[in-house]
Amino acid sequence: MKLVKRYFNPGVIIFVVFLSVSYVLLFSYSTSPLYPYCYGGDSGGDSAHFMTVGKAWAAGRLPYRDMFDHKGPLIYFIDMVGFLLLGSKYGIAILQIIFMFFTFSSIWCISQLAHDSKTFGISVLVLSGIAMKVNYILGNTVEEYCLPFLGWAFFLLFRFFQKPEHTHDWRWTVFYGVTAGVCLLTRATNVIPIVGGILTVCVMLIVGREFANLGQNAVAFVGGFVLTILPFTLYFLANGSIGYAIYDIILFNVEYSRGVLPWFKDTGADTVIIFLKSFFLFYCIFFAGLIYFSKRNWIMGTTCIVTGLLEAVVFMNNQAWSQYALVCLPQIAVLMCAVRSAIEDEDSSIRFVGIMFVCAIVMFTNMAFCERVITAKDAHRAYASEGKRDWSTLVKRIPAEERDSFVAYGENDVKDLYLITDTIPCYKYYMIQDFVSRFSKTLQEDIKMTFDEGNAKWLLVDKESHTLDDLLQRRYSLFDENERYGLYKLKE
């Protein structure tokens, strides 16, 4: 309550609520009621994937055991709760607004640590929202649900580094552990933005020979981490699906990471430019570090640079999907705080650097935002009514009473199929089967066995894939087709 009274008043709370509601409604294309027929599947987005699993979970199908995917269970749980709330994707939007409120609240508090000014706080919030649009994609991503935890962890670390003491309050470290647990329940690497700060705290305690306090914090971190992942672990244990969860979340992801080619190993100038435009939230922390070093704030400067280097290891050894950088959103607030301190410095050269950074940030964020707002207008125009997919006519030919015995075999184009047709796939491998098979021989064999031994009455198969040719010839007959897909019916 002390925190609320110190940093918030009714006006601030109303503004943050307004910003949160507006942001989700305007920019979460896959869940917002402003885009009723958008689920993100035809754009290759993962939101449709997550919603399909969440909807199936709400209907009694368990993730991993009955529905394959390799993200942590939190994203499916949130989508499942959203479907239970309203029976549609709009329930997810309500939950997004709640998460967004706590995200923007943390950004506000970080800004007030640097300068107790409502004008400055609102400026940081607006700039953060503009910068985030580049990485928000279609909404309902795993990074979005980590942000409130990462933001408040940033706040606690920033607060400690402002006035470092000999010891670190272990109660704050419980929250760091909770944040690490939340990230593991989505994508483990999402925790990387706060690792640099935690390492700095550990080094400070070791240098100060505060070993007892270091031990307290270690226990507190583990406690918060276990507290977060334990409910899901017990749930999957109780339902006999923990083995499936371990394979999908851990073992398959290890195989997947080995098979992914880092983006910079096969790139040109265009890809580098796209990376620079899409990952500003990541590398802006280096600018903050340089400013803090110029002001001889060695703790904050070192923390920022170490954080940036750790993030670089993750982002440079993965694919350059822009949503990955969304977890770095609190860093724009840290940069703005650094810039503010530079502008207020007595040294005219440091003030000049601060002013130049303000101009650069405003120019960059507005340029990126203008590009994405055009995308928002296009999305509203495209999804205000139901569009026709390549598979639409074929799926409509399946009798309604037999759609519970149907599954599609295809790539990104079928991601939103089950949501649009209000069906649940009868096999656990229900989309992008060929893609995930590339990374794991074990998974490849299990997918083959599932389709070979299964008794789905109807299969929609992408003609570009020939994986099922033998099965289709033996057990199915072609019912209908178009240029892209074939609809097959199980032989009597």
Side-chain angles (χ1 to χ4, degrees):
M1 291 302 295
K2 289 183 179 179
L3 183 69
V4 174
K5 290 179 180 178
R6 180 177 176 182
Y7 293 104
F8 294 96
N9 60 44
V12 171
I13 293 175
I14 290 172
F15 179 76
V16 174
V17 169
F18 171 78
L19 189 60
S20 304
V21 173
S22 301
Y23 209 92
V24 172
L25 290 180
L26 289 173
F27 301 130
S28 183
Y29 311 142
S30 64
T31 59
S32 169
L34 297 180
Y35 315 94
Y37 295 99
C38 178
Y39 296 92
D42 59 331
S43 302
D46 288 335
S47 182
H49 208 155
F50 304 149
M51 281 190 275
T52 299
V53 179
K55 183 179 179 180
W57 196 355
R61 302 277 296 278
L62 290 185
Y64 313 120
R65 188 191 70 184
D66 303 321
M67 302 287 287
F68 170 81
D69 196 25
H70 56 103
K71 297 296 190 297
L74 183 61
I75 181 70
Y76 313 125
F77 178 78
I78 291 170
D79 283 15
M80 179 266 287
V81 173
F83 274 101
L84 289 178
L85 278 175
L86 296 181
S88 71
K89 67 176 187 175
Y90 304 143
I92 302 170
I94 293 175
L95 299 177
Q96 286 177 277
I97 290 170
I98 295 171
F99 275 78
M100 193 65 72
F101 171 81
F102 285 104
T103 296
F104 282 135
S105 296
S106 69
I107 300 296
W108 171 267
C109 287
I110 292 172
S111 74
Q112 298 306 288
L113 282 175
H115 192 77
D116 187 8
S117 164
K118 302 298 183 288
T119 302
F120 179 66
I122 291 173
S123 300
V124 173
L125 278 176
V126 171
L127 279 172
S128 297
I130 292 172
M132 178 170 62
K133 183 65 190 77
V134 179
N135 309 93
Y136 196 63
I137 313 299
L138 304 171
N140 192 38
T141 61
V142 294
E143 294 82 8
E144 180 177 353
Y145 300 111
C146 294
L147 274 178
F149 301 91
L150 291 167
W152 283 104
F154 255 92
F155 167 75
L156 293 175
L157 287 165
F158 195 18
R159 186 180 179 186
F160 176 75
F161 294 141
Q162 268 203 325
K163 297 179 180 179
E165 301 177 359
H166 294 296
T167 60
H168 182 276
D169 193 332
W170 62 267
R171 292 173 296 181
W172 297 3
T173 311
V174 172
F175 188 76
Y176 306 156
V178 169
T179 301
V182 167
C183 292
L184 180 66
L185 293 172
T186 55
R187 183 192 294 111
T189 54
N190 285 342
V191 76
I192 202 68
I194 65 168
V195 172
I198 293 173
L199 288 176
T200 302
V201 172
C202 292
V203 171
M204 291 172 66
L205 295 180
I206 292 171
V207 171
R209 303 185 67 81
E210 296 289 348
F211 299 114
N213 184 243
L214 181 64
Q216 288 177 334
N217 279 272
V219 171
F221 183 90
V222 173
F225 180 80
V226 172
L227 183 68
T228 307
I229 66 172
L230 189 61
F232 286 97
T233 304
L234 294 177
Y235 175 83
F236 289 121
L237 271 171
N239 287 278
S241 58
I242 190 66
Y244 298 101
I246 290 173
Y247 175 77
D248 290 9
I249 300 171
I250 300 175
L251 301 180
F252 174 77
N253 276 326
V254 170
E255 296 176 299
Y256 179 81
S257 62
R258 290 173 179 168
V260 172
L261 181 69
W263 68 269
F264 66 88
K265 288 189 176 181
D266 184 23
T267 187
D270 291 345
T271 308
V272 173
I273 292 172
I274 291 172
F275 179 84
L276 291 175
K277 291 173 67 174
S278 300
F279 279 72
F280 177 70
L281 294 181
F282 146 54
Y283 61 80
C284 74
I285 197 68
F286 289 111
F287 302 142
L290 293 176
I291 294 174
Y292 281 119
F293 274 135
S294 71
K295 293 180 62 61
R296 293 178 174 80
N297 187 335
W298 310 119
I299 293 176
M300 278 300 298
T302 301
T303 301
C304 290
I305 298 301
V306 170
T307 297
L309 291 174
L310 291 171
E311 291 171 354
V313 172
V314 172
F315 295 140
M316 299 301 289
N317 285 282
N318 215 316
Q319 294 175 312
W321 304 122
S322 58
Q323 67 265 31
Y324 287 174
L326 185 59
V327 293
C328 302
L329 177 67
Q331 295 175 181
I332 193 75
V334 173
L335 173 60
M336 290 301 297
C337 290
V339 169
R340 176 74 190 226
S341 66
I343 293 174
E344 295 176 339
D345 198 277
E346 296 179 358
D347 189 326
S348 59
S349 61
I350 296 178
R351 288 202 304 272
F352 177 77
V353 170
I355 293 170
M356 290 299 98
F357 268 114
V358 169
C359 295
I361 292 168
V362 171
M363 287 177 59
F364 175 86
T365 52
N366 276 284
M367 176 185 66
F369 185 73
C370 287
E371 291 180 2
R372 298 294 175 166
V373 167
I374 293 172
T375 304
K377 290 170 60 178
D378 291 342
H380 179 70
R381 188 181 303 111
Y383 298 108
S385 59
E386 184 176 1
K388 185 177 181 181
R389 309 297 203 275
D390 289 339
W391 42 259
S392 299
T393 304
L394 296 178
V395 174
K396 288 178 180 179
R397 297 209 61 189
I398 302 173
E401 65 274 12
E402 295 184 359
R403 289 188 182 177
D404 60 348
S405 186
F406 159 75
V407 69
Y409 195 103
E411 296 303 316
N412 287 328
D413 289 349
V414 301
K415 278 189 172 182
D416 55 3
L417 184 155
Y418 307 102
L419 298 164
I420 292 174
T421 59
D422 193 24
T423 57
I424 294 176
C426 62
Y427 291 166
K428 67 181 291 185
Y429 303 108
Y430 52 95
M431 64 177 74
I432 61 171
Q433 295 92 339
D434 282 347
F435 174 78
V436 295
S437 293
R438 301 176 200 164
F439 303 98
S440 170
K441 187 69 175 177
T442 301
L443 194 66
Q444 186 181 81
E445 292 174 354
D446 197 38
I447 291 174
K448 185 177 185 304
M449 183 179 68
T450 298
F451 278 83
D452 281 348
E453 299 180 0
N455 290 305
K457 291 182 180 179
W458 298 91
L459 296 180
L460 180 78
V461 181
D462 190 329
K463 289 184 176 180
E464 294 182 6
S465 171
H466 299 283
T467 307
L468 301 183
D469 285 354
D470 179 62
L471 168 69
L472 296 175
Q473 188 174 4
R474 288 186 292 107
R475 301 185 59 201
Y476 287 83
S477 57
L478 181 64
F479 186 81
D480 198 357
E481 65 178 331
N482 59 28
E483 293 182 358
R484 180 68 187 278
Y485 295 100
L487 180 64
Y488 293 84
K489 184 177 182 181
L490 186 67
K491 293 178 181 178
E492 298 294 337

